[in-house]
Amino acid sequence: MSEHRRKPPQPQGGGRAAARRGQSGSSPGRRAAPRGATGSPSDSYGSDSYDSGGEERQYGGRAEARRAAQRSTGGGRRRGAEPTRGGRRAAPGGPSGPGRGRGRVAAVPDKKRLIDYPRAGKYGWQRWMPSWRLVSGLCIAFFGSLVAVAGIGYAMVGVPNEENAAARSQNNVYLWADGTQMVAAGSGQNRQNVTIDRIPPAMRWAVISAENKSFYDDSGVDPMGIARALANMARGGDTQGGSTITQQFVKNTYLSQEQTVSRKFKEMFISIKVGTKLSKDEILQGYLNTSYYGRGAYGIQAAAQAYYGKEAKDLKPSECAFLAALLKGPTYYDPAGNEGIDETASRAANRKRSEARWGWILEQMHNDKRITDAEYQDAIKKYPMPDPRKASKGMTGQIGYLVDTAKKYVLNHSNISEKQFDQGGYQIKTTFDKDKVEALAKAVKKVEKEKLDPKNRELDKHVQFGGASVKPNDGAIVALYGGAGYENGHFNNNADTSGVPVGSTWKPFVLAAAMEHGTYRSKGPLSPLSKYNGNDHLKVRNNDGTYVLKKDNTPFFQENESDYPWGYISLRKAMEQSVNTPFVQLGMDVGMKNVADLAEKSGILNSSFAGLNASFALGTSTPSAIRMADAYATFAASGKQAAPYSVTSVKSNGREIDGFDKPRVTRAMPEQVANNVTDVLENVIQNGTGKNALSLGRTAAGKTGTTDENKSAWFVGYTQQLSTSVAMFREDPKSAKLLSMNGTAGEKSIHGGDVPTLVWTEYMKAALKGETDLGFPEAEKIGVIQDEAGAPSPKPTPSVEPSETVTESPSPTPTESSSPSPTPSNTCGFFGCENDGGTENGGTDNGGTDGGVTSPPAPTDTAEDGGNSRGNGNGGIFGGPEG
């Protein structure tokens, strides 16, 4: 083995430490000088084995050799007293200095880094403070990257060769419940492009003044607007707004309506390219031809025809400003209203919004000197109210109302916007049964023909019907009647609207609440055999025994339709003959809040409730025909409730959209409560005000209802297979106020047991043809008999308690010809009350034969001028407005 590969022998006498101590010099009490401190050549590490004299070295290996080399080259003391590897300061004086202790060395500066951060040679906060070179370098790199990304994006994103599907627009296809096609409806045929010379200058300037004043000068994009949109998107907010006309044209024409970052960047790059390829007039022309104006109208030409029935070139400046206002959102700016989509989009609210923006746009045009002073004064003096909605192709008969109901359901149960939906391409399968829809329409027409003669009787004019039929224990709407048809100018869906008080058809909810909760005196459920005072003109008491007062602090008296002296009668008998006074007092005893809660659980929307005053028990609320049919279906299903629905599936491009499963069935009330209500309502048809329904020829239950002054009349009834409601009312076509039906059909007054019951019976005969008569579950006795406070004690009798319908009311049942109640001036009026009593709109009531409601309160917000007018969608079937 060669000498240089031999392992050096280990030092003796205690190893390296001893060797170092041996080298320390003459004084045993002093520490040895650090290696290399003498400057002698022998202190260096030139060999791994032996020195020139052959004597074995007394020092360690390579690590120490490197440290010695550093000491020999590092020079004097390290600048800044930088710590050594061991964390101690270097001794002053350099290699030959007098420093003592273990080798204190000066460190070699670090190698240069590409990014000097944290900064070398700095301490404390200075070490973390970036240098100006670093900051400027990063800024240059950042902006350079943006330029590079923008350049790459601009190069990669091209202007699509074709318009997107939205710009082309398609129809929506509606299917019957059996899968056959009902109608293809939508905007597929409601778009016609026009050239810029056929668009009036006022329309062009209205849009520019309202949305993009710098249109003719900008590059086509608004960087700040894009930044705002991206910030909103990051927060989950609305991304609209801030776009130029060019960007909106690109979005309408080439891109989808999705709100994503990638789509926003595509929009920006395409807008820049479009700005270099098309003239400003071509861009403006494209924007006005692809924008959505509502009512299924895409483009200015379709909008001009939909709203004013004229060509776009014939629009006046005032009309142009109105159409420009629609571009902000036709759902909320069309004065015809869109309550079915959003309850805040009522006719009154939309008119107010539209008129405000219309005036603002005209003002902006005037300020921008786009119209003269004279043109401005002429345009601003009168709001250009548009035409009513028109029927589109195929939307005749009941089809328009079916489509309207299904569309509202889709919009309320998905993330699809109205604009996207109206662009078409959807296949909607509905719950509607074609045969039943036709049967209901046929029933209405037959009874109208038999009873009404509007050509020869003035009081037969403006009479309307609404109806709906729902499956119990399911919620599917199988049929509805919305009115005379779009083709006849009737666009309000009477099956799916509110504003028509339901009268005594509300009383079953009061009875059900009493059977479930009892009264403040009963300490448990109340039996329907409990007796209340049924006489006319009675004071109503609060729970503390005080009388309900009117606003003038005089006692409130409840009226029946006649002054027949019923005395104390059971609630079952009071329901049979629709006597008002027992149910008003019962409602106060149970608590109107309990009545409202039960009605809501049964399917009535809270938004359609009237004030919880004494008259609440008599049907001052205004739910739709659909909601009433659904709520009575809860009784038919022994207390199980399913929300009404009209759509079972929606597909787009063959893909099924989520959100259209059947509504969940819930328990609204105890089974025996519902079955006892059904038992009482069977008696209404067999022995009471609903006798006209006996011709159905099968087991059924139902209730009649009539409102004060006969402004509306209802019949709601059911079997186990179907629950159907029918409403009849008169309405002033101009003010939407309800009119009295006294004298209609040649009768002194119209009641729910008359025309509405005839329509119901005619329809149910056809709808249930071939179906088995299932009857109803037997109603077990429920609750305790707890008569009204003040009722006489029952007299003992040796006989078994006879049937309610046989023994009560030996006197003949009052008829429509019964003498009227005392004049309203003696008893009607507003009143205030405590606890569950109300504070508004008490008064007389046409009870007795059919039991009406007490002067209904001013209806919903849908009436612009207040009063007893009918709403359009407020309190709807799908969780907000009717839909």
Side-chain angles (χ1 to χ4, degrees), residues 74-160:
R77 153 169 153 186
R78 188 170 179 184
R79 262 176 214 240
E82 188 167 338
T84 65
R85 179 171 54 85
R88 302 175 62 184
R89 287 179 177 272
S96 58
R100 302 179 58 162
R102 189 173 175 184
R104 301 188 181 186
V105 299
V108 175
D110 293 338
K111 292 181 180 179
K112 276 197 169 183
R113 294 177 293 175
L114 180 63
I115 299 177
D116 184 20
Y117 192 82
R119 296 174 68 185
K122 301 292 183 181
Y123 302 94
W125 64 270
Q126 290 180 328
R127 180 172 173 81
W128 303 101
M129 176 66 70
S131 66
W132 67 269
R133 292 186 182 88
L134 178 61
V135 173
S136 59
L138 290 176
C139 288
I140 292 172
F142 175 73
F143 287 110
S145 299
L146 285 182
V147 171
V149 170
I152 294 171
Y154 183 81
M156 293 182 65
V157 176
V159 179

Side-chain angles (χ1 to χ4, degrees), residues 361-434:
I361 291 174
L362 286 175
E363 182 181 16
Q364 294 302 304
M365 294 171 68
H366 182 238
N367 293 343
D368 296 340
K369 301 191 183 304
R370 304 307 183 187
I371 54 176
T372 66
D373 292 346
E375 288 173 328
Y376 174 70
Q377 293 300 329
D378 182 63
I380 200 70
K381 66 184 179 183
K382 185 179 180 181
Y383 176 74
M385 191 70 181
D387 298 338
R389 289 190 176 95
K390 302 177 180 65
S392 56
K393 183 178 179 181
M395 304 288 277
T396 57
Q398 296 306 301
I399 299 298
Y401 308 118
L402 300 176
V403 167
D404 171 73
T405 303
K407 174 183 174 179
K408 290 175 182 177
Y409 189 89
V410 171
L411 297 183
N412 280 286
H413 288 78
S414 70
N415 294 323
I416 303 170
S417 69
E418 184 186 18
K419 180 177 180 180
Q420 289 173 310
F421 188 81
D422 285 349
Q423 284 167 351
Y426 296 96
Q427 183 186 80
I428 303 99
K429 187 176 182 181
T430 72
T431 60
F432 303 127
D433 184 309
K434 183 178 181 181

Side-chain angles (χ1 to χ4, degrees), residues 458-464 499-501 706-713 728-744 750 867-870:
E458 183 67 25
L459 293 175
D460 286 3
K461 293 180 179 179
H462 312 309
V463 174
Q464 298 184 32
V500 182
T706 305
T707 60
D708 190 34
E709 298 180 25
N710 295 127
K711 289 181 178 178
S712 64
M728 176 184 178
F729 56 93
R730 286 185 72 214
E731 181 183 69
D732 186 326
K734 294 182 179 180
S735 66
K737 285 185 176 181
L738 295 181
L739 304 173
S740 173
M741 289 189 292
N742 289 334
T744 297
I750 294 292
N868 292 324
S869 56
R870 185 168 65 89

